[in-house]
Amino acid sequence: MNCHVKSMYFQLFMDPAAAFLSLLLVLAVGSWTSVAAGRPQLCGNSVQQALKLTRLIQKESVDIIKTYKLSQGDMSELLCKVSVNNIPDPNISGLESSERIVSIYTHLQEFFPHFRRVYEQQTDLQLPSSPLLTDLETIDTRSRWLAVHIKDFYQSLFPNLPLPEPAGGATSLPPPQNVFQQKVYGCAVLKTFKEFLSNVSKELRTLKNSVCRRRVQTNMFF
Amino acid sequence: VTFSFIWMILLTTATSPQTDVFLFIGTNFTATCVIQNTTEVTVDDLYWSLGLTPVPTELYTRINSTALNVTIPITRETPDWLFCSVKKSSPDVILNRSKYKHGILLQKGYLPVKPVNLSCMAVQKGAIISPVMVCEWESKQPQGGQFTTTYNLVVRVVGAEVNLSTFPHFMPMEIWVEATNELGTAESEHLNKDANSFVKTNPPSNVQVISEKTFTKSLLVNWTQPLAKVHLELTYEIRYCSDGCHQWDYVPSTEIDKNIHSFRLQDLTPYTVYITQVRCKNVHPGYGYWSEWSNNATKRTPEDRPTSKPDLWLSIDEDESNNERQVKLLVKEPKYSNGRIIRYDMKIQDLKEKDKSGADQWEKITVSEPEANSSSGHFTLLKQIHVADNTHLQVRVKAVNSVGKSPEATLVIPKKSHVLPPVRDLKVYPDWDKLMVMWNSTDPLEYEYVVEVSDGQQMDWQKEGQSVRKTAVRGYLEEFVRYNVSVYPIYRHGWIGKPARVEAYLRQGVPLDGPSVTSSKPGCFNAYLEWTDIPEHRRRGFITYYTIFYSDGNERHCTVPGNITSYTLKSLSRNTRYDVWITASTINGSVDGFNHSFHTLKYAPGEIEGIVVGVSLGFLFVVILTMLLCICKKDVIKENFWPQIPNPGESTIGNWSPDYPLKAETPNENCLSGISVLDVDVCDGKSVFEEDKASLPLKKDKYLSEEHSSGIGGSSCMSSPRQSVSDSDEGGDVADTTASTVQYSSVVASNGYKGQTPGSQSQQAVFSRSESTQPLLESEENPDTLASDGSRHCQRFPRQTNFTASEGNADFNQLEMEEQNGLRSLEFCPLVEDSEHMMPADGQSETWASAPASSYMPQLGGYRPQ
């Protein structure tokens, strides 16, 4: 209804600026319409579930970092302040939604080998009954499930755009490390992943708000 | 639905294609036996057998010259061997029997049945949801057969692998069950749900209720979520009830937001203990399972001032002697006391003096133990006062707790002569487990009603509004107890009206005891019975009637109303023992009383006395009657018992004697002595023959008549004076009738006198001369013979004469009357005839003849001149 009123307004006060804005509005609506055309149950399922799962993993990542620090012995705080290379970028790249979603999916895929490596390293460092191992396994599993959601979400939004798999062979993992380096590496992976999840959460929230709200408005319109 | 399996058995091959097949029961199985690589046998030589039992040839189907089909139904659950054999007994067949016989094992069972009602649940363990899910389903697999059905639960996280160590929050899951046996596989319906749809969390923990003094009708409930919000969004359900209640109040789900951890209960009652519980589940409707209810959280709401009036009432005892009423002022706590009532403020005023003494102080009555008082009748005795009958008294009461005072309750006790009218048509009846009270209003000014219930020892009341006409007694009532239910109308400003009262039972039963007969007063044909009324606490109902049973061998009964305790049994038999017992009946049954016995009287009271008095009176009456008769008839009696002897001196016969001068005195003495003796002798029964005793009265008369007869036609000394007079009076007539006849002389024998010595020689013979004109008989001429005959005649013959004279008249009484009425003169014996008939025997004659001379008395007087 609001859109309709605005259109009437623009028709009454036609000027060059207004004409430009009208053009942008039409383009935006057209773009949104093309996106929204192929997203059945978008807000209700994949995006929301992905967002909830992201929040859960984010919380668990916070918890696991605490657990990690507790399980690494002395100087655990210091360990986590050291920067490490060869860790996936926590930032989401791309301008379009599709690109950003692909970026999320790609980054998730990049983290999985690192989780595996950290798990293997901590298996050597921790007792088998250590909760850190369970938590690492859990965060790895949930991250994979989140990737499934992102994929479904992407395929729902962009059914005609295939989701590109991570390009360029295997993810670059760090070379063999000593125990200290392993501990530093593990904490860096977890912290980076936590940061990445924060970005994913924001991105999904933005996506959800923009896409789902517009869809509701469209329903009201028709 | 039937299924057919076709199986082929090849003869003359080394092995059959398969040795066993799996069949499901209820289908048909078709097998084909094919002859290969031989011409030794043909299809006609083949036969089928099931175990050792040949298959009927009707089930065979010849395909061609080398193939034979058989179709058998699969019915039994036990396995069977099906053989194709050759019946030909050629040498080749005998030597190679194994080539010419093949069989297959038929194993039977049922197809797997699709599992139904699949459900799965994942419960919370610690701070997470356990990855172990418990799934349930129902199997309707038929029992029997050789196959074992196995079930596989398949859980799939859509698009991902299942990690059994992590519960897949926010992941779609697909779960189903596969039932598998040798015959195939059947799948249940697939559950496609979010993983959180299977979650059952722990109940909320640390449930606490907070009471805030400023919110007297509210409680704040806090709890801790059992699971972090990031795992599962939860909604909650809250229920609460006041302490002791039996039904929970639920907070509407629309008022409860998701993921909350506190809630404020509102519209509660101040100063009331509430119990609160919380539970949770997945926020999405239809998803997940409700957790168990949390533990009780108990808290009392804050105290507030009483918001309703105290329930003021009174109990009035009339004291007629002093013209005043004893009034107990009672009060119950206000319905909304909102706290602990610590005291009551009361003011009692006479309405006449209200204006004058308006500054009266409120009396403060402290309630130290309100609970203790309320437990015994739920009310508190405020005060006991005496109210004069001619006084309007107003009572005003306020309840006070620690916060404030309640509104004021007012009652007015009117003058006894100004009591307002009661309600109409009061009815009380039991309805299931309640006692219902109904009434109609009398006056539109009735403001409210008080229903008072009393069992005689305890009393309770309840107030009803102006529009109420029917209510149930709310207090606890016992069965089989009689209650007095009273309804008081309360008019505006608290004026109490006159009560209407009814007795009622919540439930009636059979009396515990029967009535006992306390006394019986048996009469001759009735008996008065009295029995004790059954004590009220053992009556257990209204006695509708008594039945009195009484038996003297034959049992009878009669029914009397239930409001009497005495009765008179009637139509009893005298002098009979009766057993009596009384049955008391209520609407729900009867009970027999104790047996009582009594004996009816042989004679009614006074009956003996009546008989005695009656007999006595009768006797007295007879005596009096006799005395009166004697008095009235004394002359007759005197004449009868003491006849008047004629004075011989006056007899004229004395003048007749030629030898002696007619001198009355001499013969009179002789005659008198002789007659006196004669009278006794004649009437003395002892002197009469025994055979004549029965006719003694008659004889007596006749003897008397003999006296008369002795003087026929003359003045015999044996004749009575009257008779003599009669004789004399009638003598004329007789003389007239017998004027031409000779008069006989009568001679009286003196030996008939008792006590006289018949042989006394001193007596001088007296001869009297009859004036009869009849010539003397021979006997008269012979004095000896005459004396003898005369004696006999005087004593015996007159009887014969009487009978003769009364011939033709059989009535003796009449005869006697005639005798007494002056006909005696006709009874004079005709001596001639009698003497002829009554001639004594010779012996007697001799006896009689032995003293004739001495027995004759000289008839000195002779006949009186006529």
Side-chain angles (χ1 to χ4, degrees):
Chain A
M1 182 62 74
N2 293 334
C3 294
H4 181 68
V5 173
K6 287 178 182 177
S7 297
M8 296 287 288
Y9 177 83
F10 290 140
Q11 286 176 359
L12 291 175
F13 302 98
M14 184 69 69
D15 57 16
F20 178 72
L21 290 174
S22 299
L23 180 61
L24 290 178
L25 179 63
V26 170
L27 290 174
V29 171
S31 174
W32 176 81
T33 305
S34 65
V35 171
R39 50 167 207 275
Q41 300 178 343
L42 185 63
C43 297
N45 291 324
S46 293
V47 175
Q48 286 192 5
Q49 294 296 90
L51 180 57
K52 290 177 181 176
L53 184 56
T54 303
R55 289 171 180 162
L56 173 60
I57 301 171
Q58 191 177 358
K59 176 187 179 293
E60 289 179 338
S61 66
V62 173
D63 295 338
I64 200 172
I65 289 172
K66 293 178 183 174
T67 307
Y68 187 87
K69 289 179 179 176
L70 290 175
S71 61
Q72 302 308 310
D74 298 336
M75 302 177 66
S76 58
E77 290 294 334
L78 183 62
L79 293 173
C80 290
K81 289 180 179 176
V82 179
S83 61
V84 178
N85 295 326
N86 298 325
I87 291 178
D89 184 3
N91 297 314
I92 299 169
S93 60
L95 296 175
E96 297 294 330
S97 299
S98 59
E99 294 173 355
R100 299 182 73 81
I101 294 171
V102 169
S103 176
I104 294 171
Y105 182 74
T106 305
H107 279 70
L108 274 174
Q109 297 291 332
E110 291 173 354
F111 271 104
F112 295 149
H114 293 278
F115 288 147
R116 179 58 55 190
R117 172 60 63 87
V118 172
Y119 183 82
E120 291 169 355
Q121 292 172 347
Q122 292 299 317
T123 303
D124 296 335
L125 299 175
Q126 306 294 329
L127 293 173
S129 61
S130 170
L132 177 62
L133 299 178
T134 306
D135 292 346
L136 285 172
E137 192 174 12
T138 298
I139 204 168
D140 178 58
T141 303
R142 294 203 195 283
S143 300
R144 294 177 189 274
W145 288 339
L146 178 60
V148 172
H149 273 302
I150 299 297
K151 183 179 180 182
D152 289 346
F153 175 54
Y154 179 82
Q155 289 177 344
S156 299
L157 286 175
F158 311 102
N160 298 321
L161 298 176
L163 187 65
E165 291 298 323
T171 304
S172 59
L173 289 175
Q177 299 167 320
N178 58 29
V179 173
F180 179 78
Q181 289 173 326
Q182 290 177 6
K183 290 180 179 179
V184 170
Y185 167 72
C187 189
V189 170
L190 293 177
K191 286 182 65 177
T192 306
F193 186 66
K194 175 194 162 194
E195 187 178 352
F196 169 70
L197 288 176
S198 177
N199 293 331
V200 171
S201 179
K202 290 176 185 172
E203 189 65 31
L204 290 177
R205 194 181 304 119
T206 304
L207 193 63
K208 175 192 165 191
N209 291 337
S210 62
V211 174
C212 294
R213 188 173 299 168
R214 285 174 187 169
R215 192 181 77 119
V216 172
Q217 288 175 349
T218 305
N219 290 338
M220 291 175 64
F221 218 47
F222 295 101
Chain B
V1 178
T2 59
F3 300 91
S4 292
F5 290 90
I6 298 176
W7 216 261
M8 186 174 286
I9 300 172
L10 299 177
L11 290 176
T12 72
T13 57
T15 57
S16 59
Q18 190 173 343
T19 58
D20 55 354
V21 292
F22 303 107
L23 305 173
F24 46 96
I25 297 168
T27 60
N28 292 326
F29 174 68
T30 300
T32 305
C33 193
V34 181
I35 302 170
Q36 286 185 332
N37 303 327
T38 182
T39 58
E40 180 68 23
V41 296
T42 65
V43 168
D44 296 332
D45 297 325
L46 301 179
Y47 71 94
W48 292 94
S49 62
L50 204 57
L52 298 176
T53 307
V55 177
T57 55
E58 294 82 13
L59 302 177
Y60 295 178
T61 302
R62 178 178 177 144
I63 304 300
N64 52 38
S65 61
T66 60
L68 180 65
N69 270 4
V70 66
T71 301
I72 57 174
I74 306 301
T75 53
R76 298 192 306 167
E77 295 177 351
T78 55
D80 289 313
W81 279 95
L82 179 64
F83 293 106
C84 178
S85 306
V86 176
K87 55 189 175 185
K88 185 178 180 181
S89 57
S90 65
D92 184 55
V93 172
I94 295 171
L95 292 174
N96 300 288
R97 186 164 296 278
S98 62
K99 288 186 178 180
Y100 291 98
K101 183 173 184 177
H102 287 280
I104 54 175
L105 178 62
L106 306 181
Q107 299 202 58
K108 307 165 189 174
Y110 294 98
L111 284 172
V113 178
K114 172 182 169 182
V116 294
N117 295 333
L118 172 63
S119 63
C120 295
M121 180 186 293
V123 298
Q124 183 176 356
K125 286 285 183 67
I128 61 170
I129 300 298
S130 168
V132 177
M133 294 181 70
V134 177
C135 294
E136 296 177 348
W137 62 89
E138 293 178 19
S139 171
K140 296 186 178 179
Q141 183 72 30
Q143 299 297 318
Q146 279 80 55
F147 312 138
T148 301
T149 302
T150 58
Y151 295 90
N152 297 319
L153 177 65
V154 183
V155 179
R156 192 169 73 90
V157 176
V158 179
E161 297 176 354
V162 174
N163 187 328
L164 295 180
S165 63
T166 304
F167 184 79
H169 289 287
F170 308 113
M171 292 300 293
M173 296 184 71
E174 186 177 14
I175 303 174
W176 69 94
V177 178
E178 293 176 350
T180 305
N181 64 14
E182 286 79 353
L183 295 176
T185 299
E187 289 185 0
S188 69
E189 291 185 356
H190 290 212
L191 296 178
N192 289 299
K193 291 184 178 179
D194 186 273
N196 283 344
S197 299
F198 304 110
V199 170
K200 179 182 179 181
T201 67
N202 290 336
S205 57
N206 300 323
V207 179
Q208 293 180 331
V209 182
I210 300 170
S211 174
E212 298 162 288
K213 197 170 183 179
T214 52
F215 299 102
T216 58
K217 296 182 179 180
S218 177
L219 289 174
L220 181 62
V221 186
N222 290 331
W223 63 88
T224 302
Q225 294 180 345
L227 196 64
K229 177 184 172 184
V230 292
H231 289 89
L232 179 64
E233 288 190 310
L234 295 173
T235 187
Y236 295 89
E237 188 170 38
I238 304 168
R239 67 181 184 182
Y240 61 96
C241 73
S242 57
D243 192 13
C245 74
H246 302 288
Q247 191 169 4
W248 294 95
D249 290 325
Y250 288 82
V251 176
S253 59
T254 54
E255 296 185 8
I256 300 177
D257 202 358
K258 62 181 181 181
N259 301 319
I260 58 174
H261 52 79
S262 65
F263 188 84
R264 182 176 291 280
L265 300 175
Q266 300 181 63
D267 295 329
L268 304 179
T269 303
Y271 201 67
T272 304
V273 175
Y274 284 94
I275 302 168
T276 308
Q277 291 182 337
V278 186
R279 67 175 179 174
C280 59
K281 70 178 278 292
N282 189 322
V283 71
H284 297 294
Y287 280 42
Y289 299 92
W290 280 108
S291 70
E292 300 298 325
W293 286 102
S294 67
N295 294 330
N296 287 348
T298 304
K299 196 71 176 180
R300 184 187 289 275
T301 50
E303 197 169 6
D304 194 5
R305 75 170 185 84
T307 52
S308 63
K309 296 186 288 187
D311 191 354
L312 176 63
W313 189 233
L314 44 78
S315 169
I316 300 177
D317 291 331
E318 306 287 348
D319 188 355
E320 301 289 348
S321 59
N322 296 329
N323 293 327
E324 64 179 17
R325 294 161 285 177
Q326 185 176 357
V327 178
K328 293 178 182 174
L329 297 174
L330 311 169
V331 69
K332 289 180 185 175
E333 289 188 355
K335 182 179 180 181
Y336 302 107
S337 60
N338 297 340
R340 178 172 169 265
I341 300 300
I342 55 176
R343 74 164 195 272
Y344 290 98
D345 291 350
M346 181 175 66
K347 180 184 278 188
I348 301 173
Q349 287 178 303
D350 188 339
L351 286 184
K352 287 181 182 177
E353 302 170 354
K354 185 177 181 181
D355 297 334
K356 302 174 186 175
S357 58
D360 286 348
Q361 294 298 316
W362 286 82
E363 184 178 357
K364 300 184 189 307
I365 302 168
T366 303
V367 182
S368 56
E369 296 290 340
E371 286 80 12
N373 286 336
S374 62
S375 64
S376 59
H378 304 283
F379 55 81
T380 301
L381 175 62
L382 287 177
K383 196 172 186 180
Q384 189 164 337
I385 58 176
H386 295 274
V387 181
D389 287 348
N390 58 354
T391 303
H392 290 304
L393 203 67
Q394 185 186 52
V395 182
R396 299 157 66 191
V397 173
K398 296 176 184 176
V400 182
N401 65 12
S402 62
V403 179
K405 296 181 180 179
S406 73
E408 185 178 292
T410 304
L411 278 180
V412 176
I413 306 168
K415 286 182 182 177
K416 197 171 180 181
S417 57
H418 287 72
V419 179
L420 294 169
V423 298
R424 293 183 294 111
D425 308 328
L426 174 62
K427 292 178 183 175
V428 181
Y429 59 93
D431 182 14
W432 194 234
D433 59 344
K434 293 182 177 178
L435 203 57
M436 304 301 296
V437 185
M438 286 179 62
W439 66 88
N440 283 321
S441 171
T442 303
D443 195 321
L445 295 177
E446 291 169 359
Y447 177 68
E448 63 181 358
Y449 301 93
V450 172
V451 178
E452 182 184 276
V453 181
S454 169
D455 63 355
Q457 297 177 344
Q458 293 184 333
M459 184 269 281
D460 196 5
W461 75 90
Q462 63 190 58
K463 287 188 176 176
E464 302 293 344
Q466 185 181 21
S467 60
V468 175
R469 295 290 180 272
K470 178 180 178 182
T471 187
V473 176
R474 288 190 283 272
Y476 173 73
L477 299 178
E478 293 184 16
E479 295 179 337
F480 315 128
V481 173
R482 189 172 69 181
Y483 291 98
N484 285 316
V485 181
S486 307
V487 175
Y488 292 79
I490 307 296
Y491 292 83
R492 294 212 173 271
H493 308 298
W495 285 74
I496 302 172
K498 189 175 182 181
R501 185 168 289 128
V502 166
E503 292 181 340
Y505 283 88
L506 178 62
R507 186 180 164 205
Q508 297 189 55
V510 179
L512 293 175
D513 298 330
S516 300
V517 178
T518 53
S519 67
S520 58
K521 297 174 183 174
C524 199
F525 300 105
N526 54 29
Y528 175 79
L529 299 177
E530 277 188 1
W531 58 90
T532 54
D533 214 356
I534 303 171
E536 190 177 307
H537 67 282
R538 302 187 69 78
R539 209 173 295 170
R540 295 159 64 94
F542 293 114
I543 303 298
T544 52
Y545 57 86
Y546 292 107
T547 305
I548 305 172
F549 292 89
Y550 55 103
S551 170
D552 60 347
N554 295 325
E555 185 177 310
R556 289 176 285 175
H557 70 274
C558 58
T559 303
V560 299
N563 57 354
I564 69 170
T565 56
S566 63
Y567 187 71
T568 300
L569 296 176
K570 297 176 181 175
S571 302
L572 304 180
S573 302
R574 68 162 72 220
N575 194 23
T576 304
R577 173 191 168 89
Y578 281 91
D579 292 328
V580 61
W581 65 96
I582 299 175
T583 297
S585 300
T586 66
I587 60 171
N588 279 340
S590 303
V591 64
D592 290 341
F594 293 107
N595 203 351
H596 180 81
S597 298
F598 62 83
H599 213 108
T600 52
L601 301 177
K602 191 172 183 180
Y603 298 103
E607 189 174 358
I608 295 176
E609 291 82 351
I611 292 172
V612 171
V613 169
V615 170
S616 301
L617 288 175
F619 179 75
L620 185 62
F621 176 75
V622 170
V623 169
I624 293 172
L625 192 65
T626 305
M627 291 177 66
L628 288 173
L629 192 64
C630 291
I631 293 170
C632 295
K633 299 291 185 181
K634 65 180 181 181
D635 296 337
V636 177
I637 294 171
K638 186 177 180 182
E639 286 177 2
N640 284 332
F641 287 97
W642 297 279
Q644 186 176 3
I645 305 301
N647 189 356
E650 295 175 357
S651 175
T652 58
I653 197 169
N655 298 327
W656 178 76
S657 178
D659 298 330
Y660 300 92
L662 186 60
K663 188 177 179 180
E665 290 77 6
T666 304
N668 196 17
E669 293 174 359
N670 293 336
C671 185
L672 180 61
S673 62
I675 286 172
S676 301
V677 174
L678 177 62
D679 184 58
V680 172
D681 286 345
V682 169
C683 298
D684 188 357
K686 294 179 181 177
S687 63
V688 183
F689 291 109
E690 291 297 321
E691 59 270 20
D692 294 333
K693 286 181 181 177
S695 55
L696 182 59
L698 197 60
K699 287 177 183 177
K700 191 174 181 180
D701 291 337
K702 288 167 186 171
Y703 290 149
L704 293 172
S705 299
E706 285 173 7
E707 298 169 15
H708 309 158
S709 65
S710 61
I712 293 175
S715 56
S716 168
C717 63
M718 295 179 66
S719 299
S720 65
R722 186 170 176 265
Q723 286 169 331
S724 298
V725 171
S726 298
D727 290 347
S728 301
D729 294 340
E730 295 173 359
D733 298 333
V734 174
D736 292 340
T737 57
T738 61
S740 61
T741 62
V742 178
Q743 294 218 347
Y744 293 94
S745 63
S746 172
V747 180
V748 176
S750 62
N751 61 347
Y753 296 153
K754 197 172 183 178
Q756 285 185 332
T757 302
S760 176
Q761 298 301 322
S762 62
Q763 280 188 330
Q764 186 178 359
V766 177
F767 294 93
S768 297
R769 179 63 179 176
S770 172
E771 293 178 355
S772 173
T773 59
Q774 188 175 357
L776 293 172
L777 297 176
E778 185 179 359
S779 60
E780 287 181 334
E781 290 175 341
N782 187 359
D784 297 338
T785 306
L786 182 61
S788 173
D789 290 342
S791 175
R792 290 179 60 198
H793 164 74
C794 183
Q795 293 181 354
R796 299 180 58 88
F797 291 172
R799 181 181 58 182
Q800 302 298 331
T801 303
N802 283 332
F803 279 114
T804 302
S806 60
E807 189 175 351
N809 185 2
D811 191 345
F812 288 94
N813 292 330
Q814 189 175 357
L815 177 63
E816 291 175 0
M817 288 175 66
E818 288 171 352
E819 288 172 352
Q820 293 177 359
N821 288 334
L823 295 178
R824 295 184 185 101
S825 59
L826 298 177
E827 296 172 1
F828 289 149
C829 302
L831 293 177
V832 176
E833 295 173 2
D834 290 343
S835 63
E836 288 178 354
H837 289 292
M838 302 303 292
M839 188 63 69
D842 292 340
Q844 285 180 322
S845 301
E846 290 177 1
T847 306
W848 284 93
S850 62
S854 60
S855 63
Y856 285 159
M857 291 180 67
Q859 295 185 359
L860 298 178
Y863 288 132
R864 205 186 295 178
Q866 298 181 4

